[in-house]
Amino acid sequence: MDSFIATGLIGISLGSQYTLLALGFTLIFGILGVVNFAHGGFYVMGGYVAYYCNVILGLPYPVAVMLAMLSMAALGWLFESLILERVIEDHQATLMVTMGFYLVMATAILMIFGAESPQFPFPVTGVWRLGGIYFPYANMIVLGACLAAIVFVYWLVYRTNIGRGMRAMSEDLPVASALGMRTKALFPFAFALATGLAGGTGALVTPILALAPHVGDSVLAFSFLTVILGGLGSVTGATCAAFIVGLIEAYAAVYLGGSKGALTLFALVLIILVVRPQGLLGREVRRS
Amino acid sequence: MTMRLGRFMCGTLLASAAFGGAVSACELKIGVPAVLSGPAAQWGIALRGATEFAAKEAMEEKRLVINGVACTISVKTIDSKYSAEGAASAASAFAAEGIKVIVGPVGSPEVTGMKPVATRNRMVAMVNSFAKNSIGPEWPTVFHIGPGPSGWAAPIIDAGLQRFKFKTAAIVAPNDQGGTDIASVNADIFKQRGVSVTEEYYQRGTTNFAPIVTRIMSSNAEALDLASSPAGDAGIIVKQMRQAGFTGPIFRLGGPGTDEIARVAGGLDILKDFLWYEPVYMDDKMRALEQKYEKLMGSARPENSDFFRWTFAARMMIKAVQIAGTVDNAEKISAAMRTLPVEDEHIGKGYWIGQKFFGINQEMSYPFAIGVIQGGVKQPFIRADAVSEK
């Protein structure tokens, strides 16, 4: 029973991290119609910015996380408005441009910091224990921060005028533009929000796992998987799917083993997509 | 007059072509398929650094002289990505450039992918890999840099049993040939010593090992072996195992990389009780080699101690080329290699082995060391003799 509860905690913890990544990914697709292959790169770079600020410059960890978020948001804003905006109408071009930007980021990290993992410890150590159940304080803090960020994104998307504007553009871009929504400001804003979330997640998660130039690859894969499962462009779908993926990954790995667990996760996602090709909460027809 | 001038110019051209041809004929090109990205990058960096060093050393000291001409040695490195397809495509690229001498790659999947391409293109290779079929009679021009866990896991487990009490162990490794071959060999050696073993495998690319850690904790293992898990992965596993409350000794019966494991895990305190295979015993000769590298290359040697093994391997390859008197005939270089004693000016003397395990006597064996961290404190290395089949 203890391991069942401990596994649930792991699943929720994984789910909250996947949610933050998937929310950014799905926001970009929902509003801009762009599949952002550079998403993993913003995650890794956020981790390295936090590492640089915290370990090299000696800034407090929370400040480092904020700087990582802001710098990734700024980079995202610049990337969208200077590069992506020029090809936004061409779906294939956006795929190539985001993929290319990911390679540029990964190579830049490799050249600046090297291929080996730096030591980037989480400032809080210790583990909460209750019988056989355990939960590291670091994971608890990261879970809390992730949940707070999820609440913030929901508030922004569903309770503010900016959010309403973004949702309107996601629903029907020509009509939203005709009604006065400023795509020149809202597109880069949505992109910056998403990349800021990815950078913040990287800054929070890499100290409890590991920081290395390659860790964005699996992040991209899981974000894509989660968003497809939830329904491309659906914020609530991405959130539900992220927790489902996290829990399945945890329970399958614990009770079936590492290899079969990964297989089970992908098999279940495959079955769900066969039954509901549009994803859990996605619409049947969508524009890009 | 015009005819004489024409003849003179033709003669000059022919002479320069002949002279130039003789010089360019003595360029040894070494292909290095090395993993330079991903969690195993530290191993590839050591391989690349060692080969570049051995090449520069040989040129500076004129160690490679064929037909009275000091040869130039160039090193071409391609990222083999710790995958069979990465190494196979690297070997194909080398073949396209006419490179016949290969040093590397590091991992079992890479070696498995490269061997057929190397054999088809008549290349001579000095490979690593702890796989059960790293070398064999079907690949006569492939040599092995040193024994895998079948050669050195037993003394390390014995050193662990002397220091710590455990009757059960869990082995965790990636679920491909680079993991399963090593884990199964280690498991057999643990069992021979009365330790019951469970094997846990994970998908390469996993970044959060918490579920696998929960599974291992449920098995009540008293010791853990990280086998050949890349250093980056191994560091996360150690960190999460200790967070989960695991207090037993941890073995690293795979490739070296303790420094990176400690960095990722959070320091020596987290490793606490840790034993690993160290490819060489650090003594004054080794330190002299480190200094030589620093002087020649202008920077500290690559961190991973596989650097020493690859230096030895690259030097042996250059020696074999020297004896063979050819830079591009794999069969002649292989034949020359078999006549060489396993001996290095810094690492010491060893043996050719491999007949019993692989069916071919093409594995180098030389003294190694056992690394021990006890209570979070690094202990002096324990020197171990070269494994012999005699």
Side-chain angles (χ1 to χ4, degrees):
Chain A
M1 189 61 192
D2 283 352
S3 75
F4 187 83
I5 297 169
T7 308
L9 287 173
I10 293 166
I12 290 167
S13 190
L14 284 171
S16 66
Q17 293 161 22
Y18 293 154
T19 305
L20 274 193
L21 292 161
L23 278 179
F25 203 89
T26 206
L27 273 176
I28 291 176
F29 182 82
I31 295 162
L32 281 76
V34 170
V35 177
N36 180 22
F37 279 108
H39 208 60
F42 286 101
Y43 168 88
V44 185
M45 203 167 255
Y48 273 98
V49 170
Y51 159 73
Y52 189 81
C53 293
N54 182 230
V55 178
I56 310 284
L57 299 180
L59 297 173
Y61 177 69
V63 176
V65 174
M66 288 308 294
L67 287 174
M69 265 178 116
L70 292 173
S71 58
M72 287 307 101
L75 185 63
W77 185 294
L78 288 173
F79 173 63
E80 201 288 329
S81 49
L82 296 179
I83 300 170
L84 201 58
E85 192 64 44
R86 293 166 190 271
V87 293
I88 200 96
E89 300 297 331
D90 184 343
H91 193 58
Q92 285 179 341
T94 59
L95 290 179
M96 294 311 292
V97 165
T98 55
M99 205 178 283
F101 194 61
Y102 177 47
L103 291 176
V104 169
M105 282 197 282
T107 310
I109 292 167
L110 206 61
M111 287 175 72
I112 297 167
F113 294 99
E116 291 161 342
S117 297
Q119 187 163 358
F120 183 26
F122 199 84
V124 178
T125 52
V127 180
W128 171 81
R129 292 180 199 285
L130 182 69
I133 305 165
Y134 71 96
F135 202 43
Y137 293 130
N139 292 34
M140 232 181 256
I141 293 167
V142 170
L143 175 63
C146 287
L147 293 175
I150 294 165
V151 170
F152 169 75
V153 172
Y154 265 81
W155 171 78
L156 190 77
V157 172
Y158 289 103
R159 293 279 182 273
T160 66
N161 284 337
I162 293 174
R164 286 183 197 105
M166 288 197 295
R167 282 191 292 132
M169 290 199 311
S170 165
E171 287 286 326
D172 197 321
L173 183 59
V175 172
S177 303
L179 289 172
M181 300 299 159
R182 292 163 56 209
T183 53
K184 290 278 181 204
L186 284 176
F187 271 10
F189 178 82
F191 204 90
L193 176 66
T195 55
L197 283 174
T201 314
L204 285 167
V205 174
T206 52
I208 60 170
L209 297 177
L211 180 60
H214 66 274
V215 295
D217 301 353
S218 61
V219 164
L220 175 66
F222 268 98
S223 300
F224 203 57
L225 178 87
T226 306
V227 170
I228 295 282
L229 181 64
L232 269 167
S234 166
V235 171
T236 309
T239 307
C240 296
F243 281 99
I244 290 171
V245 167
L247 287 165
I248 291 176
E249 186 186 351
Y251 280 106
V254 169
Y255 291 102
L256 299 173
S259 302
K260 287 178 193 158
L263 181 68
T264 308
L265 174 64
F266 287 106
L268 277 172
V269 170
L270 199 68
I271 292 165
I272 292 172
L273 290 180
V274 167
V275 178
R276 278 187 67 83
Q278 70 274 32
L280 292 173
L281 297 174
R283 281 166 289 183
E284 280 190 28
V285 179
R286 85 140 290 113
R287 304 167 308 279
S288 67
Chain B
M1 180 68 190
T2 317
M3 257 180 82
R4 274 187 195 167
L5 185 66
R7 280 178 191 163
F8 173 73
M9 285 184 73
C10 278
T12 311
L13 276 170
L14 283 169
S16 346
F19 182 70
V23 170
S24 65
C26 194
E27 184 194 0
L28 170 63
K29 294 178 184 171
I30 302 179
V32 178
V35 48
L36 297 174
S37 53
Q42 207 201 28
W43 291 331
I45 291 169
L47 160 61
R48 180 182 62 182
T51 314
E52 285 175 351
F53 164 69
K56 198 166 182 187
E57 175 190 59
M59 284 195 290
E60 294 256 320
E61 297 173 10
K62 296 197 172 26
R63 290 183 180 204
L64 183 58
V65 179
I66 296 176
N67 295 330
V69 179
C71 301
T72 57
I73 305 173
S74 59
V75 176
K76 167 113 183 172
T77 306
I78 295 178
D79 184 359
S80 47
K81 300 177 178 169
Y82 212 88
S83 67
E85 64 273 21
S89 79
S92 297
F94 294 142
E97 290 190 33
I99 296 173
K100 296 290 181 186
V101 175
I102 307 292
V103 177
V106 172
S108 307
E110 295 173 302
V111 173
T112 299
M114 192 194 77
K115 275 185 303 193
V117 183
T119 306
R120 202 163 52 239
N121 289 286
R122 307 181 80 135
M123 293 164 156
V124 53
M126 180 68 86
V127 304
N128 186 28
S129 156
F130 296 152
K132 289 173 180 171
N133 63 347
S134 303
I135 53 172
E138 57 272 54
W139 302 290
T141 59
V142 179
F143 292 80
H144 202 210
I145 178 177
S150 59
W152 40 254
I156 302 174
I157 293 170
D158 290 342
L161 283 165
Q162 280 168 16
R163 287 166 176 76
F164 311 104
K165 281 184 181 167
F166 59 93
K167 289 203 176 297
T168 56
I171 302 174
V172 60
N175 61 357
D176 54 25
Q177 194 189 15
T180 52
D181 270 14
I182 291 92
S184 58
V185 170
N186 292 355
D188 287 343
I189 299 170
F190 272 113
K191 284 174 195 164
Q192 284 162 16
R193 277 145 183 80
V195 179
S196 65
V197 175
T198 54
E199 293 170 42
E200 287 296 336
Y201 295 102
Y202 65 89
Q203 188 79 23
R204 220 176 265 277
T206 302
T207 52
N208 194 331
F209 293 87
I212 291 160
V213 164
T214 305
R215 196 173 157 82
I216 295 170
M217 291 301 287
S218 304
S219 73
N220 293 320
E222 293 166 337
L224 177 72
D225 172 23
L226 301 164
S228 56
S229 306
D233 295 351
I236 307 173
I237 296 168
V238 171
K239 187 191 319 194
Q240 296 189 325
M241 284 296 291
R242 294 297 189 211
Q243 283 175 342
F246 180 74
T247 53
I250 298 176
F251 291 84
R252 165 60 167 179
L253 304 177
T258 304
D259 292 328
E260 183 158 13
I261 295 172
R263 261 201 315 273
V264 175
L268 294 182
D269 286 350
I270 308 292
L271 299 190
K272 203 171 151 253
D273 296 323
F274 195 86
L275 293 101
W276 74 97
Y277 159 72
E278 190 64 30
V280 291
Y281 181 77
M282 280 305 286
D283 55 13
D284 289 343
K285 283 186 175 176
M286 289 299 155
R287 279 183 274 279
L289 177 57
E290 281 181 324
Q291 284 165 7
K292 191 175 186 184
Y293 180 95
E294 220 165 310
K295 198 174 164 192
L296 208 58
M297 308 303 280
S299 62
R301 59 121 170 142
E303 185 183 55
N304 192 289
S305 50
D306 250 353
F307 159 78
F308 296 105
R309 295 205 304 158
W310 285 117
T311 300
F312 186 17
R315 278 174 171 171
M316 284 290 282
M317 191 61 95
I318 292 167
K319 277 188 210 171
V321 171
Q322 167 73 62
I323 291 174
T326 170
V327 293
D328 53 14
N329 186 323
E331 285 78 17
K332 277 190 179 175
I333 297 169
S334 301
M337 182 79 83
R338 290 181 204 111
T339 66
L340 279 172
V342 175
E343 188 173 357
D344 182 85
E345 62 208 82
H346 289 105
I347 294 173
K349 289 182 182 179
Y351 315 96
W352 283 112
I353 59 168
Q355 190 65 46
K356 280 185 188 164
F357 196 79
F358 296 110
I360 190 166
N361 210 38
Q362 294 195 167
E363 180 176 64
M364 296 195 295
S365 169
Y366 36 83
F368 63 98
I370 300 170
V372 181
I373 293 169
Q374 205 163 351
V377 179
K378 250 186 188 173
Q379 306 296 313
F381 286 111
I382 303 163
R383 189 187 170 93
D385 292 330
V387 179
S388 161
E389 284 184 354
K390 285 173 189 167

